């Protein structure tokens, strides 16, 4: 057939160049393995080789339960499950074979039948060989030492040496070569460019020297180009887990934020951006602890893991987030209010699906776990959107009480690479006792084929080929010439945030939105700790169990009668929100944070609204144009320091009576007591002074919430959504039974009451900044550590200045308001949808009833409507809701036997 085709083409083509072009096109049709980034690789030889690796045979026997010389049952089962065409090949070759030889033949055709349909992907696989990452905590693999207290800060299993491995499958048992090998460091985290010609990856130096990013050419891998360096000779950083972006930039995790895990001592990594040459390096994630593993999705966004525990439990705290490649729209994707799985790591999108494959891990645990498929369209929290796989089984509902830190998982899987919803590549070990991970082809039922193994673990597989479909290059909306950004909220009463245990907070109750800035402790700040056997907080700002972080109230925004708000915030600053009533009491608090890029406008529908439901489009919001924050309390813009903001109120109104010897035992004097001199063991090792009234007011509070005077939302509060008015100032006896009960005719002003309520609702901070109440020598030590962060920020400011001078990112697709149909970036090629940007209308061609919806790029439903079968044969015009802000969205129609979707841009 091939020869006839070529002969016919040759006869018809007189022009030699035309003939060669058509020959090339025909070759591509006949052999899909030819193409960019693959070279002229032949199809994988399906013939059974004379020798099969002993490791593969041993794995077959283990999987099939074969022992001794009894093969008949295994052969019968394998052959019985072979597809007809492969069974015929087996029958044609078995001849007089018997015993092990016949078993191996059956296993061979089982292997080929599973893998051959993925031949175009499996022809060349790149993966890494290295020691097992991780240790005491899941984020314990940066190889940066910032230790000041004699605790380990490096990988538990650190081992020099490793390689980037290149598996070229000429047959189904090919052995890998080393594309790049390093004996005195660790290569890791390979990411292949979209054209398949380059690889960006991380390399360590010696132990304790971090990682730096390098790029190599696949056809000339011996001389990789270094892209990142340490900021200074005395400042060591780790840059790792790089990810190519469609516009040519690279996103990666880095310790350049110089943060530290609050409840430990190891460094923190956040997300950073640079161009393909390593220029304009800048921070885009401003997060409390780690952000892991950025991966580009089919719609051009970046999915990653974010570890956080602002005013909530420190274990169940690693959900999936996504952002646009320029750092905008940092938003929850799945699991931010979920107890189990504790951690969601190594997430990758499943091709041609909204689902992701990821690893369910633990807190005090290695960088691995159990496999799952996540469907963020079905749910965004809990287990409703999770299917455990390999094997398929029911998803757990809760974590065992005796396994809170490990996550109630076995640490067997890491770095899955889905090929479709049923099959994938993955690094796996059978039991935790096995040291080495091996690379497998596997399906969701756990059936497997061993592909690669070495003298170290092998993991992090990626396909070494050009991507057939490059994600859209989303235009950047960042304006680095600006210092602020904008939040808008449609209706605060929409969502779970204002739900009480018996209903919903009455409309009109919410009056203001408090905006709070978070400051994170600096790397290496192990100067004192609070807590005991139940855990500890390094360099504390509060009693153990109260606020994790230093906080600053920036101001308040008015909530209008329709529940709307619109206000400005400083860009590149992590902030969170608290909904306040007329007394200044907190109705609901965010227990997370949000960071906007310069010039960004971020629309919120409500308060923790369900992402899978469509909001009511409503009318034009009463909030109107965004405004600067109000500052009614006089404490705004300063770190919330107890001695400066609460003690003066007590001095004026309380200490005349409440001093030593008072009959109530409540001493509210403001003298300072050294932590080691306090009877409460939580303070013994804090290395700072504590105000007497603070210690007494928070007695029996904070650690577990409710105390004699204070009801504090503690760091042990579960991840799930808390009910409105369930905690804080509205539940604190200090407010309800003392201050508002006109205790002994004490008359506080409204402002004074609201400041005290604010302190309680901020989770009772004591220090404003981390150096407050330290001794001079310790404060000096902290500021020396902080100097590294400040040095880097100075460098980063210059990088941004150069970026501004350089102009916008080249080759980005800027959505054009004059363009009526964005067919160039369709997610699914389908003529059923046409978008008219000026009119903000969709014209839909359909022949069936179904659901029409508009989602943002993370799957959050912005609009949904049912379309009946009536008029289905004609076009349907749908006007988009007026509350959609500027940006990219996906419009989708799902009907009986019909499905089409397209990316659009809304331009105001």
């Amino acid at each position: 057939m091939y020869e006839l085709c070529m002969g016919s083409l040759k006869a018809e083509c007189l022009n030699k160049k035309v003939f060669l072009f058509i020959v090339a096109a025909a070759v591509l049709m006949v052999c899909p393995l030819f193409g960019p980034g693959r070279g002229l690789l032949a199809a994988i030889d399906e013939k059974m080789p004379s020798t099969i690796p002993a490791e593969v045979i041993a794995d077959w026997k283990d999987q099939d339960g074969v022992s001794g010389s009894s093969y008949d049952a295994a052969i019968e089962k394998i052959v019985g499950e072979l597809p007809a065409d492969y069974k015929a090949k087996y029958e044609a070759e078995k001849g007089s074979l018997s015993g092990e030889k016949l078993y191996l033949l059956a296993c061979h055709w089982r292997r080929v039948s599973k893998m051959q349909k993925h031949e175009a992907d499996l022809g060349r696989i790149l993966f890494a060989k290295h020691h097992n990452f991780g240790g005491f905590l899941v984020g314990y693999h940066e190889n940066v030492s910032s230790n000041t207290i004699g605790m380990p800060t490096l990988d538990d299993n650190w081992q020099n040496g490793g390689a980037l491995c290149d598996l070229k499958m000429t047959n189904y048992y090919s052995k890998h070569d080393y594309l790049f090998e390093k004996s005195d460091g660790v290569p890791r985290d390979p990411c292949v460019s979209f054209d398949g010609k380059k690889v960006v990856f991380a390399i360590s130096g010696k132990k304790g020297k971090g990682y730096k990013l390098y790029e190599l050419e696949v056809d000339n891998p011996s001389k990789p180009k270094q892209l990142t360096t340490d900021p200074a000779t005395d400042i060591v950083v780790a840059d790792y887990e790089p990810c190519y972006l469609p516009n040519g930039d690279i996103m990666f995790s880095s310790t350049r934020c110089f943060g530290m895990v609050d409840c430990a001592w190891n460094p923190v990594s956040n997300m950073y951006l640079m161009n393909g040459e390593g220029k304009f390096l800048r921070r885009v994630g401003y997060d409390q602890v780690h952000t892991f593993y950025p991966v580009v999705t089919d719609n051009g966004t970046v999915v990653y893991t974010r570890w956080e525990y602002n005013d909530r439990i420190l274990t169940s705290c690693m959900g999936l987030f996504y952002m646009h490649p320029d750092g905008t729209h940092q938003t929850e994707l799945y699991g931010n209010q979920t107890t189990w799985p504790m951690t969601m790591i190594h997430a990758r999108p499943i091709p041609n699906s909204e689902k992701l494959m990821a690893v369910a891990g633990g807190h005090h645990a290695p960088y691995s776990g159990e496999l799952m498929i996540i469907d963020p369209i079905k749910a965004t929290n809990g287990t409703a959107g999770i299917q455990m796989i390999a094997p398929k089984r029911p998803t757990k509902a809760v974590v065992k009480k005796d396994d809170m830190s490990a996550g109630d998982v076995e640490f067997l899987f890491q770095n899955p690479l889905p090929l479709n919803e049923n099959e994938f590549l993955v690094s796996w070990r059978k039991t935790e006792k096995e040291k080495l991970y091996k690379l497998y082809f596997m399906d969701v039922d756990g059936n497997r084929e061993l592909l690669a193994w070495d003298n170290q673990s092998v993991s992090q597989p990626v396909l070494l080929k050009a991507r057939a479909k490059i994600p859209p290059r989303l235009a950047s909306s960042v304006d680095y010439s600006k210092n602020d950004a904008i939040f808008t909220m449609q209706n605060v009463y929409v969502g779970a945030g204002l739900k009480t245990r018996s209903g919903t907070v009455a409309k009109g109750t919410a009056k203001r939105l408090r905006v709070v800035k978070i400051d994170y402790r600096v790397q290496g700040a192990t100067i004192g700790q609070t807590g005991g056997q139940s855990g500890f907080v390094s360099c504390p700002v509060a009693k153990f169990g109260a606020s994790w972080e230093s906080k600053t109230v920036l101001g308040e925004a008015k909530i209008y009668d329709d529940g709307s708000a619109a206000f400005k915030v400083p860009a590149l600053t992590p902030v969170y929100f608290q909904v306040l009533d007329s007394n200044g009491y907190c109705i609901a608090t965010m227990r997370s944070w949000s960071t906007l890029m310069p010039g960004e406008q971020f629309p919120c529908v409500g308060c923790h609204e369900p992402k899978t439901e469509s909001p009511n489009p409503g009318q034009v919001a009463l909030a109107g144009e965004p405004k600067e924050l109000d500052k009614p309390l006089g404490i705004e813009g300063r770190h919330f320091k107890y001695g400066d903001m609460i003690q003066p109120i007590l001095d004026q109104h309380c200490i005349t009576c409440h001093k030593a010897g008072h009959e109530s035992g409540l001493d509210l004097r403001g003298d300072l007591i050294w932590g080691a001199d306090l009877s409460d063991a939580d303070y013994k090792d804090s290395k700072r002074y504590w105000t007497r009234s603070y210690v007494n007011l928070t007695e029996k509070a904070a650690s577990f919430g409710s105390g004699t005077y204070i009801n504090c939302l503690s760091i042990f509060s579960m991840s799930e959504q808390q009910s409105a008015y369930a905690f804080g100032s509205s539940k604190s006896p200090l407010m309800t039974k003392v201050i508002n009960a006109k205790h002994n005719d004490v008359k506080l002003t409204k402002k004074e009451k609201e400041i005290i309520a604010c302190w309680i609702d901020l989770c009772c901070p004591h220090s404003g900044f981390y150096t407050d109440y330290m001794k001079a020598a310790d404060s000096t030590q902290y500021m020396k550590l902080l100097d590294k962060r400040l040095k880097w920020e100075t460098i980063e400011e210059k990088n941004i200045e150069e970026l501004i001078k350089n102009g916008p990112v080249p080759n980005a697709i800027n959505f054009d308001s004059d363009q009526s149909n964005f067919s160039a970036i369709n997610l699914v090629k389908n003529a059923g949808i046409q978008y008219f940007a000026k009119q903000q209308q969709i014209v839909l061609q359909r022949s069936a009833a179904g659901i029409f919806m508009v989602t943002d790029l993370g799957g959050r439903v912005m609009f949904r409507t049912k379309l009946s079968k009536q008029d289905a044969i004609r076009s349907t015009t749908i006007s988009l809701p007026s509350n959609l802000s500027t940006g990219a969205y996906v419009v989708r129609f799902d009907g009986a036997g019909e499905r089409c979707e397209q990316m659009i841009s809304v331009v105001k």
Side-chain angles (χ1 to χ4, degrees):
M1 176 179 176
Y2 178 82
E3 293 177 353
L4 289 174
C5 178
M6 291 297 99
S8 175
L9 286 171
K10 188 174 181 179
E12 293 180 11
C13 298
L14 301 177
N15 184 294
K16 186 176 180 180
K17 291 184 178 179
V18 174
F19 169 70
L20 291 175
F21 175 81
I22 297 178
V23 168
V27 168
L28 287 172
M29 290 187 288
V30 176
C31 181
L33 291 181
F34 292 9
R38 293 296 315 277
L40 296 180
L41 291 178
I44 301 174
D45 185 0
E46 68 174 28
K47 182 180 178 181
M48 181 175 172
S50 58
T51 303
I52 295 176
E55 292 84 354
V56 174
I57 295 173
D59 192 71
W60 282 342
K61 291 182 177 180
D62 176 75
Q63 185 173 188
D64 296 329
V66 171
S67 60
S69 58
S70 178
Y71 297 98
D72 292 347
I75 293 171
E76 182 180 359
K77 183 177 186 299
I78 294 169
V79 175
E81 294 175 352
L82 283 176
D85 50 343
Y86 292 95
K87 185 175 182 180
K89 294 178 181 182
Y90 162 82
E91 294 290 347
E93 294 181 10
K94 73 175 185 178
S96 60
L97 296 177
S98 62
E100 184 180 54
K101 291 183 178 180
L102 187 60
Y103 169 71
L104 296 184
L105 180 66
C107 289
H108 167 75
W109 287 113
R110 176 178 62 184
R111 183 180 181 95
V112 176
S113 70
K114 291 178 182 179
M115 297 170 58
Q116 196 168 52
K117 59 187 172 183
H118 297 292
E119 193 174 39
D121 288 331
L122 300 181
R124 195 171 182 186
I125 303 168
L126 184 68
F127 55 92
K129 177 179 84 82
H130 50 66
H131 66 281
N132 294 342
F133 296 142
F136 176 69
L137 291 171
V138 69
Y140 214 64
H141 52 91
E142 302 88 349
N143 189 31
V144 174
S145 178
S146 62
N147 193 10
T148 60
I149 58 172
M151 295 291 189
T153 61
L154 305 172
D155 282 0
D156 285 357
N157 303 303
W158 173 269
Q159 181 183 12
N160 270 327
L164 298 184
C165 304
D166 185 3
L167 177 56
K168 298 176 182 177
M169 296 193 70
T170 56
N171 64 39
Y172 286 93
Y173 306 92
S174 297
K175 180 67 176 174
H176 60 271
D177 297 314
Y178 295 151
L179 185 71
F180 176 83
E181 188 175 10
K182 189 171 177 63
S183 60
D184 58 348
V186 179
R188 56 177 290 185
D189 309 325
C191 179
V192 177
S193 62
F194 293 101
D195 61 6
K197 296 180 180 180
K198 296 181 179 180
V199 177
V200 63
F201 62 107
I203 306 178
S204 72
K206 297 179 181 179
K207 186 175 182 179
K209 296 300 182 181
Y211 289 88
K212 304 300 175 290
L213 297 185
Y214 288 74
E215 185 180 61
L216 61 76
E217 295 181 5
V218 174
D219 293 336
N220 184 26
S222 61
K223 296 182 179 180
K225 178 176 65 176
Q226 186 168 352
L227 299 179
T228 65
T229 59
D230 287 327
T233 55
D234 61 335
I235 302 177
V236 177
V237 298
D239 302 325
Y240 60 104
E241 294 183 337
C243 172
Y244 282 115
L245 302 178
N247 67 354
D249 284 352
I250 297 172
M251 186 176 288
F252 59 98
S253 299
S254 178
T255 60
R256 294 170 189 265
C257 57
F258 298 98
M260 188 182 82
V261 176
D262 303 53
C263 59
W265 46 83
N266 50 313
V268 159
S269 302
N270 280 185
M271 287 298 163
Y272 282 74
L273 267 180
M274 64 182 181
N275 77 354
E277 298 295 320
K279 297 179 180 179
F280 316 128
L281 204 160
R282 60 204 184 274
R283 186 178 181 183
V284 293
Y286 290 75
D287 299 317
Q288 179 186 22
V289 272
H290 290 284
T291 46
F292 297 119
Y293 211 74
V295 175
V296 174
T297 67
D298 287 345
N299 63 25
T301 60
V302 179
V303 63
Y304 61 101
T305 296
R306 187 165 104 174
W307 181 3
E308 61 169 78
Y309 43 94
N310 179 36
D311 297 342
R312 61 183 179 134
I313 194 166
L314 67 163
T315 50
S316 300
C317 51
M318 294 190 202
L320 297 181
F321 278 69
Y322 74 97
M323 68 170 78
H324 290 190
D326 62 355
T328 59
H329 210 82
Q330 298 179 30
T331 311
E332 169 199 21
L333 181 63
Y334 200 100
N336 199 39
Q337 294 181 322
T338 298
T339 293
W340 194 91
M342 280 186 172
T343 69
M344 302 179 186
I345 54 177
H346 300 169
R348 281 189 175 273
I350 296 174
N352 302 313
S353 170
E354 293 92 355
K355 299 176 183 178
L356 303 102
M357 192 173 290
V359 171
H363 178 66
H364 290 166
Y367 204 35
S368 57
E370 298 179 7
L371 276 187
M372 58 185 172
I373 289 178
I374 299 172
D375 186 352
I377 301 299
K378 189 174 183 180
T380 57
N381 276 297
T383 58
I386 294 176
Q387 172 64 62
M388 302 305 296
I389 60 171
K392 273 189 174 181
R393 60 197 186 277
T395 302
K396 302 170 186 178
V398 295
V399 180
K400 295 176 184 176
K401 292 295 183 183
D402 61 349
D403 200 18
M404 283 298 288
S405 65
D408 193 20
V409 297
E410 292 184 277
F411 301 101
L412 308 178
F413 294 88
Q414 55 188 15
N415 306 111
L417 178 67
L419 303 172
N420 55 32
E421 287 195 25
N422 189 61
E423 291 147 328
F424 49 91
L425 304 181
V426 70
S427 180
W428 179 74
R429 60 183 180 181
K430 186 176 180 181
T431 69
E432 293 179 6
K433 292 182 180 180
E434 294 182 19
K435 181 179 179 182
L436 300 183
Y437 289 84
K438 302 174 184 178
L439 185 63
Y440 288 84
F441 176 94
M442 194 176 291
D443 67 22
V444 294
D445 294 317
N447 301 309
R448 64 185 189 266
E449 293 291 340
L450 177 60
L451 297 180
W453 58 95
D454 213 304
N455 62 348
Q456 293 176 294
S457 289
V458 293
S459 66
Q460 304 176 330
V462 289
L463 305 180
L464 189 46
K465 55 174 284 189
R467 286 182 62 163
K469 182 174 70 173
I470 299 177
R473 295 189 295 269
L474 304 179
S476 177
S477 59
V478 178
D479 183 352
Y480 279 104
S481 67
K482 294 183 178 180
N483 296 318
D484 59 9
I486 294 169
F487 280 104
T488 61
M489 180 171 59
Q490 182 181 339
N491 186 351
V492 72
Y493 299 98
V494 173
L498 267 62
K499 301 289 186 185
T500 65
R501 290 168 182 166
S502 58
T504 303
V505 171
K507 193 170 184 179
T509 304
K511 299 297 185 183
R512 290 170 288 163
L513 197 69
R514 177 184 292 143
V515 180
V516 184
K517 171 189 172 184
I518 309 174
D519 283 299
Y520 305 127
R521 53 184 48 73
V522 73
Q523 187 181 110
T526 52
I527 305 168
Q529 64 184 51
T530 54
Q533 294 182 350
S534 56
F536 67 90
V537 178
S538 294
C539 200
V541 296
K543 175 184 174 69
F544 179 65
S547 180
W548 286 108
E549 312 292 345
S550 167
K551 297 172 180 174
T552 300
V553 176
L554 296 180
E556 298 174 2
K558 179 180 178 179
I559 296 175
Y560 288 77
D561 291 343
D562 62 351
S564 66
F567 52 95
K568 297 179 181 179
V569 297
L572 307 179
T573 304
V575 296
Y576 74 100
F577 311 121
Q578 295 183 325
V579 182
L580 308 180
D581 64 14
S582 59
N583 292 317
Y585 291 175
C586 179
I587 304 173
T589 189
M590 188 170 171
R591 300 198 306 155
S592 182
W593 62 87
S594 184
T595 304
L596 300 189
M597 300 298 290
E600 181 179 359
Q601 298 186 33
F602 190 96
C604 298
V605 174
C607 184
H608 293 286
E609 73 279 359
K611 305 297 190 297
T612 57
E613 296 180 10
S614 172
N616 186 340
Q619 304 298 320
V620 176
L622 293 177
E625 292 296 315
K627 302 172 181 63
E628 299 289 343
L629 294 172
D630 297 325
K631 300 179 180 180
L633 300 182
I635 61 170
E636 293 82 4
R638 295 181 289 152
H639 295 109
F640 198 107
K641 185 177 180 181
Y642 180 91
D644 292 348
M645 298 177 183
I646 300 300
Q647 190 60 46
I649 300 174
L650 304 181
D651 288 346
Q652 182 175 349
H653 298 285
C654 305
I655 63 171
T656 302
C657 299
H658 285 276
K659 53 190 176 183
H662 189 268
E663 60 183 9
S664 68
L666 180 60
D667 188 343
L668 296 180
R669 290 177 298 165
D671 54 312
L672 299 177
I673 309 170
W674 184 243
D677 296 331
L678 288 165
S679 58
D680 191 333
D682 279 354
Y683 295 105
K684 291 293 184 182
D685 298 320
S686 62
K687 288 192 175 182
R688 64 205 62 221
Y689 293 95
W690 298 86
T691 307
R692 184 182 299 276
S693 61
Y694 179 92
V695 173
N696 293 333
L697 283 174
T698 59
E699 181 186 11
K700 299 179 182 178
S703 290
F704 298 97
S706 182
T708 305
Y709 305 102
I710 302 296
N711 183 301
C712 176
L713 180 63
S714 83
I715 63 173
F716 297 99
S717 62
M718 299 307 290
S719 296
E720 283 74 14
Q721 178 66 48
Q722 303 288 298
S723 299
Y725 280 130
F727 52 82
S729 55
S730 66
K731 297 294 183 183
S732 294
L734 177 65
M735 302 302 297
T736 60
K737 296 182 179 180
V738 180
I739 292 176
N740 286 335
K742 297 182 179 179
H743 172 70
N744 290 342
D745 292 326
V746 173
K747 297 180 180 179
L748 274 68
T749 66
K750 188 176 189 304
K751 180 185 292 187
E752 289 171 332
K753 293 178 183 178
E754 290 191 9
I755 291 173
I756 295 176
C758 177
W759 168 66
I760 296 172
D761 293 327
L762 293 181
C763 296
C764 303
H766 183 251
S767 299
F769 191 61
Y770 296 98
T771 56
D772 290 343
Y773 304 113
M774 283 182 180
K775 289 184 177 179
D778 288 336
S779 178
T780 299
Q781 180 185 347
Y782 187 95
M783 296 309 293
K784 286 183 179 179
L785 294 169
L786 183 62
D787 187 56
K788 291 184 178 181
R789 179 186 287 173
L790 298 177
K791 283 182 179 178
W792 166 251
E793 289 177 353
T794 299
I795 295 171
E796 188 171 321
E797 287 176 2
K798 294 180 180 178
N799 292 345
I800 292 174
E801 289 175 3
E802 290 299 314
L803 177 67
I804 294 173
K805 292 178 182 178
N806 192 64
V809 177
N811 300 321
I813 293 179
N814 289 285
F815 291 115
D816 185 348
S817 60
D818 292 329
Q819 189 177 355
S820 63
N821 187 1
F822 294 86
S823 58
I825 52 173
N826 280 354
L827 293 176
V828 176
K829 189 175 181 180
N830 192 294
I833 294 175
Q834 190 175 22
Y835 174 51
F836 294 91
K838 286 185 177 180
Q839 295 82 7
Q840 293 197 9
Q841 290 181 331
I842 299 293
V843 176
L844 175 66
Q845 300 287 343
R846 61 191 176 93
S847 60
I851 301 294
F852 175 84
M853 69 175 71
V854 181
T855 71
D856 66 15
L857 297 187
R860 180 173 60 162
V861 178
M862 309 303 296
F863 176 76
R864 186 201 305 261
T865 187
K866 291 183 179 180
L867 300 177
S868 66
K869 193 171 183 179
Q870 183 180 6
D871 296 329
I873 59 173
R874 295 193 293 270
S875 62
T876 304
T877 301
I878 304 167
S879 295
L880 297 178
S882 60
N883 63 307
L884 288 182
S885 62
T886 301
Y889 297 89
V890 176
V891 293
R892 176 183 299 132
F893 175 74
D894 284 300
E898 295 183 358
R899 185 178 189 276
C900 54
E901 62 180 23
Q902 182 174 313
M903 185 181 290
I904 66 168
S905 173
V906 172
V907 181
K908 294 293 184 183

